Amino acid sequence: MFGAIEAGGTKFVCAVGDEKGIIIERISIPTTVPEETMAQVITFFEKYQLDAIGVGSFGPIDINEESPTYGMITSTPKLPWRNYHFLQAMKDAFSVPIGFNTDVNAAALGESVHGAAKGLDSCLYITVGTGVGAGAVVQGKLLQGLSHPEMGHILVRRHPDDNYQGKCHYHSDCLEGLAAGPAIEGRWGKKGIDLVDKQEVWELEGYYIAQALMQYILILSPKKIILGGGVLKQKQVFASVYKYLPELMGGYVELPELSEYIVSPGLGDDAGITGSLLLAHQAFNHNSLKI
Ligand code: ADP
Ligand code: ZN
């Protein structure tokens, strides 16, 4: 039996289940300060005899096993969590193997094994919510280099009519700064959920996401693209992406039927937690191999 944490900026979802994605119990804990949130996480898992735990965390985090700061949350704007040693806190509480990766990598893994990209050895999972993040499975493995990719912060061409300055703490008008939930709210003065009938909001959203997808496709050539996160609950965005992407691509790369290629998560809101169970499973196997 495995434990899983989907650690988000607003809430931590903790679950106990197996690598098939079957969840037997789950809870949601508000993300406040590490001491408070983690105390509740530990109490939840202490009830179980676990074989391993998988963590899919908001970031940026250090996932380079060779690094002295491996397992830490690094330059997050969430100050109480900056430089918090997440993995160490888990290791201090539980003496089982612990898999540690980003929330979006976990979701990409979940979707590739049990969701919309099941049976494929490559996919890209993108979330557009409080931020924009993406995780990729390439040749059956999570894409990782120096650390994890940060695809949400690429530069995009501004729409000529868009004067919004952008909302990224680091780059102002990168993709996240122009297209994440807070940017929608900043530009239009209302939350996304209250702008459902305003077509230009979702048209512009698709305009930026299509540009990002073009670049991801050119660089990674994923076999499936999964768009998740709160903002993508607005299905109008998909229509806008399907319109702009072929225009941008100009026929250069032949794409599959877009409605099958660019899809919502097959696991719905459970992509991240299912992927975290798989991270636990991987950590368990990895550990058995070492012995
Ligand atoms: P998080 O990114 O914090 O894990 P979400 O993916 O739910 O959480 O993203 C939250 C952001 O998405 C907020 O900016 C919110 O306004 C926006 N959002 C959430 N639900 C919807 C919706 N149904 N329609 C449009 N925007 C939404
Ligand atoms: Zn940025």
Side-chain angles (χ1 to χ4, degrees), residues 169-241:
H169 290 280
Y170 297 90
H171 323 107
S172 298
D173 62 353
C174 64
L175 174 68
E176 175 171 307
L178 291 173
I184 296 176
E185 194 175 339
R187 180 187 292 109
W188 304 97
K190 283 184 192 170
K191 286 195 182 302
I193 196 75
D194 300 319
L195 292 161
V196 175
D197 298 329
K198 213 167 155 70
Q199 210 194 321
E200 58 266 43
V201 172
W202 312 110
E203 173 94 15
L204 185 65
E205 192 62 20
Y207 175 84
Y208 288 127
I209 294 173
Q211 291 187 50
L213 295 193
M214 167 157 167
Q215 294 168 65
Y216 304 150
I217 292 166
L218 293 175
I219 293 169
L220 294 172
S221 197
K223 291 181 180 168
K224 189 76 94 177
I225 295 177
I226 298 143
L227 295 180
V231 172
L232 272 313
K233 297 257 161 84
Q234 296 305 322
K235 298 299 171 210
Q236 308 97 296
V237 180
F238 284 79
S240 176
V241 169

Side-chain angles (χ1 to χ4, degrees), residues 4-5 8 16 20 57 63 73 95 106 122 144 159 183-184 202 233 256 270 283:
I5 306 175
V16 170
K20 297 191 192 82
S57 174
I63 58 167
I73 298 182
S95 54
S122 124
Q144 183 172 337
H159 192 282
I184 296 176
W202 312 110
K233 297 257 161 84
D270 281 351

Side-chain angles (χ1 to χ4, degrees), residues 277-291:
L277 282 169
L278 292 165
L279 288 175
H281 185 229
Q282 283 185 352
F284 179 72
N285 284 341
H286 188 65
N287 203 261
S288 327
L289 288 176
K290 271 192 202 154
I291 295 166

Side-chain angles (χ1 to χ4, degrees), residues 19 65 96 170 179 184 213-214 239 244 254 256 271:
E19 73 277 12
E65 288 187 35
V96 294
Y170 297 90
I184 296 176
L213 295 193
M214 167 157 167
Y244 284 114
E254 204 178 314

